Amino acid sequence: MQKVVVVGAGLVGSLQAILLAKKGFEVEVYERRPDLRKVELKGGRSINLALSTRGWKALKLAGMEKQIEEITIPMYGRRMHDENGNLSFQPYGKNDQAIYSVSRGDLNKRMLLEASKYDNVSFFFDQKCNDLDLKTNTLEFEDKEGNIKKVTADRIFGTDGAFSAVRTRLMKTDRFNYSQQYLTHGYKELLLPANEDGSHKLDKNALHIWPRGKFMLIALPNEDGSYTCTLFFPYDGEYSFNSLETKEQVEDFFKKTFPDFYDIMPNLADEYFENPTSSLVIIRCEPWNYEDKVLLMGDSSHAIVPFYGQGMNAGFEDCSVFSEMYDELGSDWHKLFDEFSKQRKPDGDAIAQLALDNYIEMRDLVGDEMFLLRKKIENKIYDKHPDKWMPLYSQVTFSHIRYSEAYETGQKQKRIMDKVMDRDNIKEKWDSDEVENQILEALNDAD
C-alpha cells in the first residue's frame, strides 16, 4: 500500500484524504491547527461559504452529499439593498437554481469526521510543517512542545492554504513562478443575530448585498437564524478601516450608508471593533507539482478573492478532477501530476480573474438600472436559445464547464452585449426580435 501525506486538514485536505482513502492509499494528514473535531463551534461565527455545482460533485464522490445538505441553506439570488432601504432581487439562475450557504467550520468538522471512518486515514494535529526534503520526500513537522518528527511519503499533497509551507519549499526550486497580489480592500465580519424567536431578520433564501460603489456589505444566512455579514472595505481613504477610529464614527457611518441594516443590528460598534480586519490576497504559481513527488491543490496553488463564491468550489473541483484523472491514468504519477498541473493552472488563473471582475459587479453594478436590463436580455436569450447562450454566472456556478473556457466565452458574450447596450433605443427595444436577431447574428459571426 502506497503511503501519501496530505499537509493541511482544511476543506480541500480533508476531502482529498477521503478520496485517496477510497482508492486504497495509506493516508496521513498533518495539520498546524488543533483538532477541529474536538472544538465546539459557535453558531454563525465561522466564515460562511457558498456551495455550488462543482463543490456538490466532489462531495458526492466522497459520499457526503446527503449529510452536507442537512447543514446548508439555499440562496436563490441576490437581494440588493439601496441607500434608502429599497429592495430588488436578481435570481442566480433558472428553474430554482441556488447556491447554498454553509458554515466553513461545520463543513470542515463533518469532513474530518467522515475521513476518520476510514481505517487507512490517520490525523496528526498541532503539527507545523518546517521543511520538505525533495530528494527523499521527507517532511519535518514540529509540535507545540518543540518536538520534531520526520515523515517520508511516496506522494505529498500540499493543501495547506494560501500561505502554504509546502509551496514555500517549491518556490526554492528552479523555474518555479510565484506571485501574490493584495487588494486595497480588506474585510471584517459582523454577526447579525436572529430574532428572539430564532427566526431570520431578512429573507433567508437570498444572499443580501448592500452595494455602495467603492465598498459593500453582504450577509449569508445561518441555520440558527443569524447572518454572517461581511464588510468589504478599503484600508485607506475617506471611508475606510483606517478612517473609522471611534464607535461614534462607526455608528454614524452605518446609519448613513446602510440604514436598514443599522436598524436591525444590535451592538454594532462593539462587534465592529471586536472582530479582526483581514486582508484579501490572490496567489498564482506554476508548476503545481514537483516531479512525481509533490502536488499543490486548493489555495496553496490558486488562492483567490471570494467574490464569485468559488474558492472552496474550485478547491473541491481540484479533488474531483484529480480523482477522475487518477482513474484514467492509474499510477503513472509523472504523467498524472504533470497533466493535472497543466490542465488546472489555466482554470485557476481564469477563476482568479473572474472573482476580481465580479467584485466590481457586486459593489458597483448590481443596483444599476442598465446592468439589470443587460442581465434581463441575457436571461431572455438563455431561455429561448440555451444551446447558443448560457450566462457567464451560470457557466461558472451551475455547470462543470472549465473555468478557462467559461472565461473565454464570457469575454465573447461581453463584446456582443456591449454593442447591444450601446443602442440608443435599447430601453424600448430590449424585448424585440430586432435585438434578439442582433445577438444571434453576432454569435454566428463569432463561431
Side-chain angles (χ1 to χ4, degrees):
M1 185 185 293
Q2 283 208 11
K3 176 181 172 181
V4 298
V5 166
V6 177
V7 182
L11 296 173
V12 174
S14 53
L15 176 61
Q16 182 67 353
I18 293 169
L19 297 181
L20 290 170
K22 281 177 168 286
K23 296 185 187 303
F25 293 101
E26 178 190 348
V27 184
E28 292 186 358
V29 186
Y30 290 81
E31 169 59 48
R32 177 177 52 83
R33 296 167 299 179
D35 189 347
L36 190 62
R37 296 170 298 178
K38 300 175 182 177
V39 176
E40 184 177 347
L41 300 172
K42 295 180 180 179
R45 283 279 178 187
S46 56
I47 298 171
N48 277 56
L49 301 167
L51 257 173
S52 55
T53 298
R54 298 170 198 268
W56 283 118
K57 176 183 177 180
L59 289 171
K60 190 172 184 178
L61 272 180
M64 295 193 66
E65 186 180 24
K66 296 299 182 185
Q67 64 165 297
I68 300 306
E69 281 178 1
E70 298 170 0
I71 57 170
T72 64
I73 297 175
M75 300 180 292
Y76 296 100
R78 298 166 171 168
R79 182 74 67 186
M80 279 80 73
H81 300 244
D82 72 13
E83 291 89 339
N84 299 313
N86 298 314
L87 301 178
S88 58
F89 184 75
Q90 182 188 337
Y92 281 130
K94 60 180 183 178
N95 302 326
D96 288 331
Q97 287 176 320
I99 60 177
Y100 292 80
S101 177
V102 63
S103 157
R104 175 191 290 273
D106 289 340
L107 177 59
N108 202 166
K109 190 171 186 176
R110 290 205 176 202
M111 295 177 73
L112 290 173
L113 290 169
E114 182 69 21
S116 304
K117 296 176 183 177
Y118 291 85
D119 293 336
N120 51 332
V121 176
S122 303
F123 284 100
F124 303 88
F125 292 92
D126 295 307
Q127 298 286 332
K128 178 187 174 186
C129 181
N130 285 338
D131 200 7
L132 165 57
D133 184 336
L134 292 171
K135 289 182 179 178
T136 61
N137 238 25
T138 300
L139 292 144
E140 179 183 292
F141 294 100
E142 181 180 352
D143 67 16
K144 290 190 295 185
E145 284 73 41
N147 299 310
I148 300 296
K149 177 180 182 179
K150 294 194 174 185
V151 181
T152 301
D154 294 297
R155 318 289 158 206
I156 295 169
F157 294 88
T159 61
D160 48 340
F163 303 102
S164 164
V166 177
R167 187 193 64 240
T168 299
R169 177 63 187 88
L170 297 191
M171 287 164 61
K172 298 173 185 175
T173 60
D174 188 39
R175 300 178 66 201
F176 187 92
N177 295 314
Y178 168 79
S179 70
Q180 67 180 34
Q181 174 190 355
Y182 281 95
L183 269 62
T184 56
H185 289 59
Y187 70 93
K188 184 184 290 286
E189 292 192 359
L190 306 166
L191 183 71
L192 174 64
N195 290 315
E196 288 187 7
D197 63 358
S199 61
H200 292 80
K201 290 182 176 178
L202 302 167
D203 172 10
K204 83 168 189 175
N205 293 119
L207 188 153
H208 294 262
I209 306 179
W210 289 259
R212 297 296 184 264
K214 298 295 184 184
F215 49 85
M216 69 175 181
L217 178 71
I218 68 170
L220 278 74
N222 295 309
E223 287 186 291
D224 64 358
S226 67
Y227 285 82
T228 300
C229 309
T230 309
L231 174 66
F232 294 101
F233 208 39
Y235 276 98
D236 300 298
E238 181 182 4
Y239 297 111
S240 64
F241 286 122
N242 289 334
S243 71
L244 299 184
E245 297 178 325
T246 67
K247 290 187 176 182
E248 291 74 20
Q249 288 175 325
V250 170
E251 295 276 353
D252 289 345
F253 171 75
F254 274 83
K255 189 173 184 178
K256 174 185 175 183
T257 312
F258 309 112
D260 58 331
F261 178 79
Y262 177 83
D263 288 342
I264 60 173
M265 178 69 188
N267 307 315
L268 172 62
D270 291 336
E271 186 85 7
Y272 182 92
F273 285 108
E274 286 172 6
N275 293 341
T277 300
S278 302
S279 58
L280 295 163
V281 67
I282 300 167
I283 302 289
R284 296 181 176 92
C285 67
E286 185 181 23
W288 292 4
N289 68 300
Y290 178 79
E291 298 179 351
D292 63 344
K293 298 178 178 179
V294 182
L295 185 66
L296 301 174
M297 302 175 78
D299 284 354
S300 63
S301 52
H302 55 85
I304 64 174
V305 290
F307 306 117
Y308 225 118
Q310 286 296 305
M312 169 185 61
N313 292 289
F316 280 5
E317 189 174 59
D318 285 347
C319 297
S320 61
V321 168
F322 180 86
S323 179
E324 290 168 352
M325 291 181 76
Y326 177 85
D327 291 343
E328 179 185 341
L329 298 174
S331 56
D332 185 345
W333 292 100
H334 268 291
K335 188 171 184 181
L336 178 59
F337 278 21
D338 284 345
E339 288 293 319
F340 178 87
S341 183
K342 288 173 184 174
Q343 177 175 319
R344 290 298 287 168
K345 165 64 176 170
D347 295 330
D349 289 344
I351 192 56
Q353 188 59 51
L354 286 164
L356 267 179
D357 295 345
N358 211 45
Y359 184 33
I360 297 169
E361 176 176 313
M362 290 175 75
R363 75 183 194 201
D364 293 2
L365 301 176
V366 289
D368 179 78
E369 177 189 6
M370 295 306 289
F371 173 80
L372 295 174
L373 178 60
R374 183 184 186 119
K375 292 299 180 186
K376 192 182 290 187
I377 296 169
E378 287 194 54
N379 286 332
K380 176 194 170 184
I381 301 300
Y382 183 30
D383 286 338
K384 294 186 70 174
H385 306 281
D387 57 324
K388 296 180 182 295
W389 187 287
M390 178 186 286
L392 177 59
Y393 188 88
S394 293
Q395 292 180 61
V396 171
T397 308
F398 301 122
S399 87
H400 299 291
I401 295 169
R402 288 184 60 183
Y403 288 128
S404 52
E405 293 176 13
Y407 181 77
E408 289 179 12
T409 303
Q411 291 297 299
K412 179 174 73 174
Q413 292 176 342
K414 181 180 184 300
R415 291 190 290 270
I416 292 171
M417 288 303 300
D418 284 347
K419 291 180 179 178
V420 168
M421 298 306 293
D422 277 344
R423 294 174 62 113
D424 292 335
N425 60 353
I426 189 59
K427 285 185 179 179
E428 294 76 30
K429 291 281 191 175
W430 75 269
D431 198 23
S432 65
D433 291 342
E434 185 181 339
V435 169
E436 181 179 340
N437 289 332
Q438 178 185 345
I439 293 172
L440 294 176
E441 288 172 11
L443 284 170
N444 289 332
D445 292 342
D447 287 339

